[in-house]
Amino acid sequence: MDTVVIAGVGLIGGSFAKALKQHGIAQRILGIDRPEVLAEALELGIIDEPAAWDESVSRADLLYLAAPISGIMELLPVADALARPGALITDTGSTKVEICRAASRLAGRGCFIGGHPMAGKEIQGCSAADAALFEGKPYFLTPAAGQEQSASLQVLTQVLSTIGARTRVISAEAHDETVAFVSHLPQLMSTALAELLGRIPGMESAAGPGAVDMTRLAGSSYQLWSGILDTNVDAIRLALAEYVRQLSRIEAALGHPEMKKHFEDARKFARLLHKK
Amino acid sequence: MDTVVIAGVGLIGGSFAKALKQHGIAQRILGIDRPEVLAEALELGIIDEPAAWDESVSRADLLYLAAPISGIMELLPVADALARPGALITDTGSTKVEICRAASRLAGRGCFIGGHPMAGKEIQGCSAADAALFEGKPYFLTPAAGQEQSASLQVLTQVLSTIGARTRVISAEAHDETVAFVSHLPQLMSTALAELLGRIPGMESAAGPGAVDMTRLAGSSYQLWSGILDTNVDAIRLALAEYVRQLSRIEAALGHPEMKKHFEDARKFARLLHKK
């Protein structure tokens, strides 16, 4: 791959750039972001060249949109209009239905494949970028209907596998339902617990390791989450309803031997997850 | 303090023994447990002497009952019958109402003060014992009504403060309500999430760091939890009901600007907790 343009050189964009370099995948990496971010990314050797939107996109073989969801929605039409025909365009937005719907309305000069790396860190920004960020982590790809066998998808899958991601091709709808359970529900569970405990006097000084664990996600910023929650309301409602039903089954088992089965089933899943 | 007897030389009992030694608080530490546990504890230098129940308890200035709740309930009458008059008896049970009620029915040769250290580790057993386990952690003390100014409570508070615990005197009832929110609710939240995700195909391979965090507690063993849950059903029901109400307030805010306030309040509490 000759030229890769990364729009948004934060933790994800910066880590992708570093991983491409480490595996010798790209000849040249251009970055688009605020001037101070580009200066830092250049100094850290994450990008080769700071770039402006209009003069760089037409050079891209791969355009990687690593902005918040609202940013991706704004950049998509510009990216498609400026891309050279057949260029590969992908994004990293945490929900996919609205983004893929917007992409499907474009002229389609570039070839768009939605993406979502399930990787992150508590620290943001390109100074925290890490070439190994995607290693062993799920990376969803949501091609448009009919694009599941396209050459573009094959190329993107190849690149992501090389940098260690476990790619998974899925429809945008199934993706958003899955992440409602596996990501948005855990976030809201933690937010709800922290808000509840914060309202009751004395809870902070009584909290042990369990409460500390379960309120860690509650430290996430709303700015990061608002775009995610706003674009996945229906699927999140469904996940919350299922979760509340599960809680009431567990409540019904309080003081009864059936509780054992709940603990055993839960432990089985927890062990699967934590040995990774 | 001359002689301390630790009944149950696991993670908590072993860590308490080590902390007493490190701070030069006890002349001699006797341990009661299964022979193989005592052999290990002796080899690790955690106890000075393996002991049998009937010949050791009468020598104790302090008797530390660090067994599961059901074990504590069985040991209490024996301990009280064998203790020398005025000996200090305390326990480490995670719920306090039932234990303190049982203690109040005893003849009262020893002086019993309920205790609950909010400290733990994922690994159990005396090989994981750590003299610093209690440092900076909450340690609840639940004296019987009228005992809040007793010399025994003062002595115990002094010992626990010396080994770094943050002691907090509270009624058994208030204790059980507090831990229902701060410990039992987080455990059941995690159990419910892991069981729910385990039932839906594909969730394990899609899980990112958020789901991993929020299902960590679900790995806890039922054996450890059954005694806790069974002795605190009412308070746990109350906490679950409050939590479900909080979840539905958050659900109502999905797609609305009010969500910002939920995230901000939650983050405030999370930051308080995590800077510790």
Side-chain angles (χ1 to χ4, degrees):
Chain A
M1 206 163 260
D2 196 53
T3 302
V4 176
V5 174
I6 312 242
V9 192
L11 172 67
I12 299 288
S15 296
F16 184 69
K18 273 186 146 176
L20 291 183
K21 288 211 164 190
Q22 194 180 74
H23 294 275
I25 296 171
Q27 293 295 316
R28 196 148 190 83
I29 297 180
L30 279 57
I32 302 179
D33 209 312
R34 284 173 291 126
E36 64 272 24
V37 174
L38 293 181
E40 190 181 8
L42 195 64
E43 200 185 305
L44 293 169
I46 294 173
I47 58 168
D48 298 308
E49 198 179 308
W53 193 252
D54 41 4
E55 51 85 19
S56 67
V57 172
S58 60
R59 292 161 59 193
D61 297 303
L62 167 61
L63 177 56
Y64 195 77
L65 305 176
I69 293 176
S70 59
I72 294 167
M73 297 290 277
E74 279 170 35
L75 296 179
L76 258 179
V78 193
D80 189 62
L82 293 174
R84 62 166 185 67
L88 181 51
I89 305 176
T90 188
D91 78 308
T92 63
S94 302
T95 59
K96 299 266 64 88
V97 171
E98 291 207 11
I99 288 171
C100 292
R101 194 179 293 147
S104 72
R105 292 197 208 99
L106 299 173
R109 283 170 59 90
C111 175
F112 178 78
I113 292 164
H116 177 206
M118 298 288 281
K121 271 191 187 178
E122 291 182 23
I123 322 155
Q124 302 296 313
C126 76
S127 59
D130 174 3
L133 187 73
F134 305 101
E135 266 172 32
K137 298 293 184 340
Y139 199 119
F140 289 105
L141 294 174
T142 60
Q147 297 290 311
E148 294 90 348
Q149 309 296 331
S150 67
S152 307
L153 178 60
Q154 282 174 32
V155 169
L156 186 55
T157 303
Q158 180 60 51
V159 166
L160 294 172
S161 303
T162 304
I163 67 172
R166 296 188 290 116
T167 59
R168 185 163 157 199
V169 175
I170 189 173
S171 73
E173 289 72 20
H175 167 274
D176 284 9
E177 282 163 26
T178 299
V179 292
F181 277 96
V182 100
S183 163
H184 311 169
L185 171 61
Q187 173 62 47
L188 294 182
M189 284 169 56
S190 184
T191 298
L193 180 66
E195 193 181 4
L196 177 61
L197 296 182
R199 239 188 356 247
I200 310 175
M203 289 296 157
E204 180 238 329
S205 63
V212 169
D213 252 24
M214 295 295 280
T215 55
R216 191 163 292 121
L217 290 179
S220 310
S221 87
Y222 178 66
Q223 211 192 339
L224 217 85
W225 274 92
S226 61
I228 300 172
L229 300 174
D230 289 349
T231 53
N232 205 23
V233 170
D234 292 343
I236 295 172
R237 283 224 172 93
L238 184 81
L240 278 169
E242 287 278 349
Y243 182 65
V244 169
R245 265 194 290 277
Q246 183 61 37
L247 277 181
S248 64
R249 278 189 286 265
I250 280 181
E251 191 193 341
L254 275 171
H256 295 287
E258 291 80 56
M259 187 63 89
K260 190 174 182 198
K261 180 92 172 67
H262 290 295
F263 267 73
E264 285 172 352
D265 288 353
R267 194 181 203 184
K268 212 176 291 170
F269 182 80
R271 285 191 164 166
L272 266 180
L273 217 56
H274 295 137
K275 69 165 188 235
K276 288 198 295 197
Chain B
M1 206 163 261
D2 195 53
T3 303
V4 176
V5 174
I6 312 241
V9 192
L11 172 67
I12 298 288
S15 297
F16 184 68
K18 274 187 147 175
L20 290 183
K21 289 213 163 188
Q22 195 180 72
H23 294 276
I25 295 171
Q27 294 292 318
R28 196 147 190 83
I29 297 179
L30 279 59
I32 302 177
D33 209 312
R34 285 174 289 127
E36 63 272 25
V37 174
L38 292 181
E40 190 182 8
L42 196 63
E43 200 185 304
L44 293 169
I46 293 172
I47 59 168
D48 298 308
E49 199 179 307
W53 193 251
D54 40 4
E55 50 85 19
S56 68
V57 172
S58 59
R59 293 162 60 194
D61 298 302
L62 167 61
L63 177 56
Y64 196 78
L65 306 176
I69 292 174
S70 58
I72 294 168
M73 296 291 278
E74 279 170 34
L75 296 180
L76 258 179
V78 194
D80 189 62
L82 292 174
R84 63 165 185 66
L88 182 52
I89 306 176
T90 188
D91 78 308
T92 63
S94 302
T95 59
K96 298 267 63 89
V97 170
E98 291 206 11
I99 288 171
C100 292
R101 195 180 292 148
S104 72
R105 291 197 208 98
L106 300 172
R109 282 169 60 89
C111 175
F112 178 78
I113 292 163
H116 177 205
M118 298 289 281
K121 271 190 187 178
E122 290 180 25
I123 322 155
Q124 302 295 314
C126 76
S127 60
D130 174 4
L133 187 72
F134 304 102
E135 268 173 29
K137 298 292 184 340
Y139 199 120
F140 288 106
L141 293 174
T142 62
Q147 297 291 311
E148 294 89 348
Q149 308 296 331
S150 67
S152 307
L153 179 60
Q154 281 173 32
V155 169
L156 186 55
T157 304
Q158 180 61 48
V159 166
L160 294 172
S161 302
T162 304
I163 66 173
R166 298 189 287 117
T167 59
R168 186 164 155 197
V169 175
I170 188 174
S171 73
E173 289 73 20
H175 168 273
D176 284 9
E177 283 164 27
T178 300
V179 292
F181 277 96
V182 99
S183 164
H184 311 171
L185 170 61
Q187 173 61 46
L188 295 181
M189 283 168 57
S190 183
T191 299
L193 180 65
E195 193 181 4
L196 177 63
L197 296 183
R199 243 193 347 254
I200 310 175
M203 288 297 157
E204 181 238 328
S205 64
V212 169
D213 252 23
M214 296 295 281
T215 55
R216 191 162 293 120
L217 289 178
S220 310
S221 88
Y222 178 66
Q223 211 193 337
L224 216 85
W225 273 92
S226 61
I228 300 172
L229 300 175
D230 288 349
T231 53
N232 205 24
V233 170
D234 293 342
I236 296 172
R237 283 225 172 95
L238 183 80
L240 279 169
E242 288 277 350
Y243 181 65
V244 169
R245 265 195 290 278
Q246 183 62 36
L247 278 181
S248 64
R249 278 190 286 266
I250 281 181
E251 191 193 341
L254 275 171
H256 295 288
E258 290 80 57
M259 187 63 90
K260 191 176 180 194
K261 179 92 172 70
H262 291 295
F263 267 72
E264 285 173 351
D265 287 353
R267 194 181 204 185
K268 213 176 289 171
F269 182 80
R271 285 190 165 168
L272 265 179
L273 217 56
H274 296 136
K275 70 163 186 234
K276 287 197 296 199

